[in-house]
Structure formats: structure tokens, C-alpha cells
């Protein structure tokens, strides 16, 4: 089964990597889909191209994982690449409430499209990209929260 793991991944964290690794063990092919939202271009720390490169380096040992960008509706992207399902990581109840709505909407757009949830590993359940950026911005140590490729990119951005 081919699944899509979508997100902005700005930046890619160890929590994202954990969900990717677990999905790769469960499914034949995983496409990590990096959202490229032109209306939010100035709000991202990393460009879509930078995020793709960071993720590719982080998953290079996973032969059944590819990384791509997408714009527009996720359901249409999933359909266009021939994937059968969406995989989402959940950290908390608040994630579930939002993702449940999105799952129902995506199934309305593409009937039969399933969304599968992978619960965050406990050690990553508090990690968010927003918090990682905030800590890194002020010189805090995020080395236990992100893969080496992300750490290098954050150091390059923040000095």
C-alpha cells in the first residue's frame, strides 16, 4: 500500500522522523509530502526546497520513502500520485479533533480515501516545529529534538 504523510515540516523533527519510520515499516511506499503554500511563503523558516532536502537526508536509509512537494488540496495530490491513504501523526487530543475534520473532508473530496493515525511516541509527544524554532531562535539546544540535517539547517539560519 502506498501512503502519503503530509505536512509543512518547518522544520522536520524527530517526531516527524519517528512517524515516517513507523509508516515505512507498515506500508510498501511512503511519500512524505511537503506542503508548499504560496500564501504562507514568508511565514516559513525554510523554503519548500530546503525542507525537502532536510527530509531526504533524514530518511536516506529508508528505501521505500520518497519526498515530494505539493500545492492545493491534499486529497487531489494523493489521488494524482496513486496513493491509497493518508498517514497523520497525533500528539494530543487537540491534534485528533483537527485531523478528524480533515479526514472527513478528504473522504468527501475523494470517496474511499482513508486517513490512518499513528500516535506519537511518548518521548516526542511534546515536540512541535513551532517550539523547536522558538528554542533554536534563542540559542537553545534542540539536538535531541531534531535529526542532524535539521540541526545543521537551524544552525545555519540562526548562527
Amino acid at each position: 500500500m502506498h501512503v502519503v504523510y503530509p505536512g509543512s515540516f518547518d522544520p522536520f523533527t524527530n517526531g516527524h522522523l519517528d512517524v515516517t519510520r513507523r509508516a515505512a515499516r507498515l506500508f510498501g511506499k511512503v511519500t512524505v509530502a511537503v506542503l508548499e503554500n504560496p500564501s504562507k511563503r514568508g511565514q516559513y523558516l525554510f523554503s519548500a526546497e530546503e525542507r525537502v532536502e532536510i527530509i531526504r537526508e533524514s530518511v536516506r536509509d529508508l528505501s521505500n520513502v520518497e519526498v515530494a512537494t505539493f500545492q492545493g488540496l491534499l486529497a487531489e495530490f494523493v489521488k494524482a500520485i496513486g496513493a491509497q491513504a493518508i498517514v497523520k501523526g497525533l500528539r494530543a487530543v487537540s491534534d485528533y479533533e483537527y485531523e478528524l475534520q480533515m479526514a472527513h473532508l478528504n473522504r468527501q473530496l475523494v470517496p474511499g480515501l482513508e486517513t490512518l493515525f499513528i500516535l506519537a511516541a511518548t518521548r516526542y509527544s511534546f515536540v512541535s516545529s513551532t517550539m523547536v524554532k522558538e528554542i533554536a531562535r534563542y540559542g537553545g539546544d534542540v539536538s535531541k529534538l531534531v535529526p542532524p540535517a535539521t540541526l545543521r539547517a537551524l544552525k545555519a539560519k540562526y548562527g
Side-chain angles (χ1 to χ4, degrees):
M1 178 183 277
H2 181 188
V3 299
V4 173
Y5 176 32
S8 59
F9 305 113
D10 186 44
F12 194 68
T13 68
N14 281 339
H16 296 134
L17 181 57
D18 179 61
V19 169
T20 304
R21 287 187 181 285
R22 290 162 61 201
R25 283 196 310 266
L26 294 168
F27 304 106
K29 183 176 180 182
V30 177
T31 298
V32 178
V34 176
L35 175 63
E36 190 174 10
N37 187 341
S39 68
K40 290 187 175 184
R41 193 162 279 140
Q43 297 175 26
Y44 293 122
L45 177 62
F46 296 103
S47 70
E49 296 78 19
E50 289 171 317
R51 289 178 276 151
V52 165
E53 286 308 310
I54 289 166
I55 297 166
R56 281 189 179 140
E57 184 176 335
S58 299
V59 302
R60 69 177 176 259
D61 63 318
L62 301 173
S63 62
N64 62 333
V65 175
E66 64 181 32
V67 185
T69 60
F70 77 99
Q71 292 183 6
L73 296 173
L74 172 61
E76 292 300 324
F77 173 76
V78 173
K79 183 178 168 184
I81 66 169
Q84 290 77 41
I86 298 166
V87 167
K88 297 295 294 207
L90 297 178
R91 293 173 299 160
V93 173
S94 57
D95 287 346
Y96 175 75
E97 291 171 351
Y98 174 78
E99 294 301 345
L100 178 66
Q101 290 177 325
M102 296 306 297
H104 288 306
L105 289 170
N106 284 325
R107 197 171 326 134
Q108 283 290 116
L109 294 169
V110 178
L113 179 58
E114 296 295 337
T115 299
L116 309 166
F117 300 115
I118 295 180
L119 300 179
T122 304
R123 67 185 175 274
Y124 302 125
S125 63
F126 64 93
V127 179
S128 73
S129 293
T130 301
M131 289 300 181
V132 165
K133 286 186 283 195
E134 191 73 9
I135 293 167
R137 179 180 295 120
Y138 292 104
D141 181 11
V142 294
S143 61
K144 292 182 177 149
L145 306 177
V146 298
T150 303
L151 185 62
R152 283 191 301 278
L154 285 168
K155 285 182 177 179
K157 288 281 184 187
Y158 292 128

